[in-house]
Amino acid sequence: MLDQGRINKRNDVLATALLWCAGLVILLILVCFLGYMLVQGLPVLLRPGFLLGMPSDIRAGGGIGPQLFNSFYILFLSLLISVPIAIGAGIYLSEYAKNNRLTDIVRLSTESLATVPSIVLGLFGMIVFVSYFEFGFSIIGGALALSLLNIPVLVRVTEETLRTIPRSYREASLALGATKWQTIWRVVLPQALPGISTGVTLTAGRALGETAILIFTAGTSVSRTFPDFDLFAAGETLAVHLWYVNGIGMVPDKTQIANGIGALLILVILVFNLAIGLPIRYYQQKMLKGAK
Amino acid sequence: MNRNVIAERVLDMKKNMDGHHVRTLLYDRYIRYLFIASAMMMTLIILTIIIFVGRQGLLTFKEVSPLQFFFGTNWDPPFEYGALSFIVGSLAVTALAILIGGPLGLAGAVFMAKIAPPRMREVMRPATDLYVAIPSVVYGFIGLTVLVPFIRSVLHTGSGFGLLAAGLVLAIMILPTVITISEDAIRSVPRPLEEASLALGATRWQTIWKVIIPAALPGILASIILAMARAIGETMAVQMLIGNTPQLPFNLTTPTTTLPSEIVVEMGNTPFGSAWNNSLFLMALVLLVISLLLILAIRYLAKKNAMNTSNA
């Protein structure tokens, strides 16, 4: 019996050590990935004329200016399209949805949409936006296709955030004679704003690096003018350029350019996640604690 | 003041208020329709995707027999359309990623839920968010510049491209999916269950292994299935590491290919509407059907789990 007890204790210590190892390995892999990319890419990023310069097809020393612009332009447009729809659907699921067939279908659709592989969304965007609506490989085509990726994530974020708002807030507002919409607009949504903002920021970070959707909707070339706000201009983004230049490009410094873009993408997601996402989340926790 | 005048004024006020009130109620109703419409958009979008991709893909069968597509190994368009090696490649790379990433992610989830001190948890949570945020091209590019040369120099075989390189990077990419969903499942195991086990004298590890993990199993399975869906659809990272050679993988370092990476490689050079192009849409349809089946499996698990807990 005593021996068994000792074995159990030893196993417990061993397992605890192993689980600690797993946790540390997971952190270590992340740090290695981020560190490697930054070390390789930061010198390129600081190269004069790289960040805002025009790309070159053949010679070394080209920049990524148009791609940088397109990345944020497409991201902005896609959020403009996806945020209102997603928040609307999220509000429906959290505030209105009854336990019926319609709700079930909407939920199943949202979950399915969230797991559609991005290359499939890309091909769909190619048939519908590029060919059928004749947008061509364009910024608007890319933004619309990218919205399909954002929407299900944002719906879930909105619904989950709204569900954390205490029931009593809604009841107090309704009891004062406010309508349901007034309650949602003046009581529930302001409370949920920090949570929804965090969700939008994290989604934006993810969408910024998306590639498979954009290759066949926004295309792999850029406009000759920079910055070009034309919605129908070719819209290659940073991530697509990384892939294209590294695989198919003919410039001699293609690895350098890829390194530079990699580091830039990492920097941007660090800003999105840590500099914007974390403070909002902190504020939100403080507010929720205050509410209790 | 004249009584009539007062009564008139009161009536007037009432009328105005009623107008305002009616308008508020009208807004309330119409905005509700707006929300329902946004929600219905989800269904509309997914149905349109299935119909458009499905129709384009199924056109392949006008010229190619399903038998050849699903069981042929010879990919030589426009003569032969055997896509078996892509399907096998996709399944193999997914299995490899789950075998490596699944246990590690699960261990991470247990660590975060039950062992890590709060400080450590505060670090791990944003870390898993960062894992999701790293673009898949960056994963692929790092794999290409670090992992592929490493495999080539260590194993001395071939080019370094193949299932091993792609599977390892995919294993890392699915970590956040496994971690976050498994952690939620582990956390939602009722506390009395855990306390009862500890009170009986079980060690923490025994409690985790024999009580918590079995109780959280449906959620853990769901996280693995969702990770499979992510892995099988992953395009860019795999395309950069798999070698893109249409042949069956005989070992971990044979260059082979997967459904998504074949689509990316060939879509640009095939004319829209040709059998070749349609066959790429058919591959997309196969991916779509697989991911929809995986979602149905997760829902089935969730439903079963809900029934179990309500019985208990």
Side-chain angles (χ1 to χ4, degrees):
Chain A
M1 266 326 270
L2 233 176
D3 262 347
Q4 189 58 45
R6 200 177 291 163
I7 291 171
N8 288 345
K9 198 139 241 168
R10 196 199 58 197
N11 284 347
D12 187 48
V13 172
L14 212 70
T16 307
L18 272 176
L19 289 171
W20 264 96
C21 279
L24 292 177
V25 163
I26 289 168
L27 281 184
L28 196 71
I29 294 174
L30 180 69
V31 171
C32 286
F33 265 77
L34 299 179
Y36 174 82
M37 207 64 253
L38 288 178
V39 167
Q40 294 285 315
L42 278 183
V44 187
L45 214 51
L46 297 173
R47 209 164 75 179
F50 180 71
L51 206 55
L52 298 176
M54 292 300 283
S56 154
D57 287 335
I58 308 161
R59 273 176 301 148
I64 52 165
Q67 284 87 0
L68 179 61
F69 171 76
N70 284 345
S71 285
F72 281 95
Y73 193 35
I74 289 180
L75 177 65
F76 172 74
L77 290 173
S78 82
L79 288 178
L80 212 61
I81 301 162
S82 50
V83 167
I85 298 175
I87 289 188
I91 289 178
Y92 172 77
L93 284 176
S94 152
E95 308 293 317
Y96 289 93
K98 295 189 194 83
N99 207 352
N100 58 19
R101 214 185 167 84
L102 175 74
T103 311
D104 212 38
I105 290 173
V106 169
R107 258 181 228 289
L108 177 63
S109 311
T110 316
E111 284 166 27
S112 308
L113 193 56
T115 40
V116 174
S118 58
I119 182 71
V120 177
L121 292 180
L123 293 197
F124 171 74
M126 188 175 95
I127 311 182
V128 175
F129 307 130
V130 175
S131 304
Y132 187 76
F133 289 122
E134 296 182 354
F135 293 158
F137 291 135
S138 60
I139 284 172
I140 185 69
L144 282 165
L146 198 54
S147 306
L148 301 180
L149 180 87
N150 296 342
I151 285 174
V153 189
L154 292 171
V155 170
R156 214 191 49 220
V157 169
T158 308
E159 192 196 347
E160 277 174 6
T161 312
L162 292 181
R163 281 187 190 284
T164 61
I165 311 297
R167 241 185 109 77
S168 53
Y169 287 26
R170 299 185 179 92
E171 281 163 359
S173 168
L174 292 172
L176 287 171
T179 61
K180 189 147 191 162
W181 164 239
Q182 286 172 327
T183 304
I184 292 171
W185 182 245
R186 303 216 180 127
V187 178
V188 179
L189 274 183
Q191 286 291 320
L193 200 60
I196 296 177
S197 316
T198 315
V200 171
T201 317
L202 292 184
T203 312
R206 218 185 85 178
L208 194 77
E210 184 52 47
T211 314
I213 287 187
L214 294 174
I215 293 176
F216 302 115
T217 50
T220 52
S221 58
V222 291
S223 163
R224 273 155 200 247
T225 50
F226 163 65
D228 192 342
F229 285 93
D230 182 5
L231 289 178
F232 298 98
E236 188 190 38
T237 63
L238 287 173
V240 174
H241 192 53
L242 196 175
W243 172 76
Y244 188 77
V245 96
N246 187 64
I248 307 167
M250 290 192 293
V251 285
D253 59 345
K254 59 185 189 179
T255 311
Q256 296 288 309
I257 292 178
N259 276 325
I261 296 175
L264 181 58
L265 287 173
I266 296 287
L267 278 179
V268 173
I269 63 155
L270 282 176
V271 169
F272 273 38
N273 276 262
L274 303 182
I276 305 176
L278 275 189
I280 299 179
R281 193 173 283 188
Y282 175 75
Y283 169 75
Q284 184 190 7
Q285 269 169 6
K286 229 173 78 179
M287 219 172 62
L288 275 180
K289 261 180 209 151
K292 278 169 198 163
Chain B
M1 220 187 280
N2 194 327
R3 250 187 195 185
N4 282 343
V5 175
I6 294 177
E8 237 166 59
R9 277 200 187 156
V10 168
L11 263 179
D12 222 35
M13 257 163 70
K14 239 186 194 161
K15 219 189 271 164
N16 274 341
M17 247 170 63
D18 278 351
H20 181 73
H21 195 64
V22 165
R23 211 160 49 232
T24 314
L25 288 179
L26 267 182
Y27 277 150
D28 195 51
R29 177 178 310 161
Y30 287 129
I31 280 172
R32 184 165 158 262
Y33 292 141
L34 210 62
F35 292 139
I36 295 179
S38 325
M40 296 297 287
M41 276 286 278
M42 305 300 123
T43 312
L44 187 71
I45 293 172
I46 188 76
L47 285 182
T48 328
I49 291 175
I50 295 172
I51 291 168
F52 272 78
V53 173
R55 202 187 52 183
Q56 200 68 36
L58 291 176
L59 283 177
T60 316
F61 292 139
K62 284 211 304 209
E63 292 169 55
V64 182
S65 79
L67 208 66
Q68 186 191 66
F69 183 84
F70 288 109
F71 297 102
T73 53
N74 192 13
W75 180 255
D76 185 20
F79 308 108
E80 287 231 39
Y81 293 93
L84 184 67
S85 58
F86 313 144
I87 298 171
V88 171
S90 275
L91 296 179
V93 82
T94 304
L96 192 63
I98 296 289
L99 279 179
I100 303 167
L104 182 60
L106 182 55
V110 172
F111 176 73
M112 274 173 77
K114 292 292 159 197
I115 298 205
R119 241 327 126 68
M120 188 73 184
R121 208 173 297 148
E122 301 263 295
V123 178
M124 300 265 313
R125 187 78 39 86
T128 42
D129 282 344
L130 275 177
Y131 264 110
V132 185
I134 296 179
S136 56
V137 273
V138 171
Y139 278 112
F141 181 64
I142 295 179
L144 189 68
T145 48
V146 180
L147 196 59
V148 169
F150 180 75
I151 291 175
R152 189 163 44 209
S153 68
V154 170
L155 296 179
H156 300 293
T157 53
S159 55
F161 291 98
L163 286 181
L164 185 62
L168 276 174
V169 169
L170 259 187
I172 293 171
M173 295 178 73
I174 59 167
L175 279 180
T177 312
V178 178
I179 292 175
T180 43
I181 298 172
S182 295
E183 198 210 346
D184 276 350
I186 291 168
R187 261 179 209 291
S188 60
V189 172
R191 186 116 185 111
L193 235 60
E194 195 182 338
E195 280 162 3
S197 165
L198 291 172
L200 285 171
T203 61
R204 180 164 65 177
W205 171 243
Q206 284 175 318
T207 306
I208 290 173
W209 186 244
K210 300 215 167 129
V211 177
I212 296 178
I213 289 188
L217 205 58
I220 292 171
L221 277 179
S223 83
I224 298 284
I225 296 175
L226 213 57
M228 281 166 69
R230 270 207 76 174
I232 207 158
E234 173 51 44
T235 313
M236 305 318 297
V238 172
Q239 190 271 328
M240 292 165 96
L241 300 171
I242 197 87
N244 299 308
T245 315
Q247 60 179 358
L248 284 169
F250 295 107
N251 60 44
L252 289 180
T253 50
T254 332
T256 174
T257 188
T258 65
L259 293 166
S261 80
E262 194 60 23
I263 296 172
V264 167
V265 171
E266 299 205 356
M267 189 47 95
N269 351 323
T270 54
F272 188 71
S274 63
W276 191 353
N277 189 273
N278 288 340
S279 70
L280 298 177
F281 276 95
L282 185 56
M283 292 183 206
L285 180 63
V286 172
L287 282 173
L288 189 58
V289 169
I290 292 175
S291 53
L292 292 180
L293 287 178
L294 290 175
I295 275 296
L296 289 179
I298 291 176
R299 284 176 74 89
Y300 174 74
L301 271 177
K303 212 167 266 176
K304 222 174 123 186
N305 190 33
M307 253 155 62
N308 279 349
T309 44
S310 67
N311 284 345

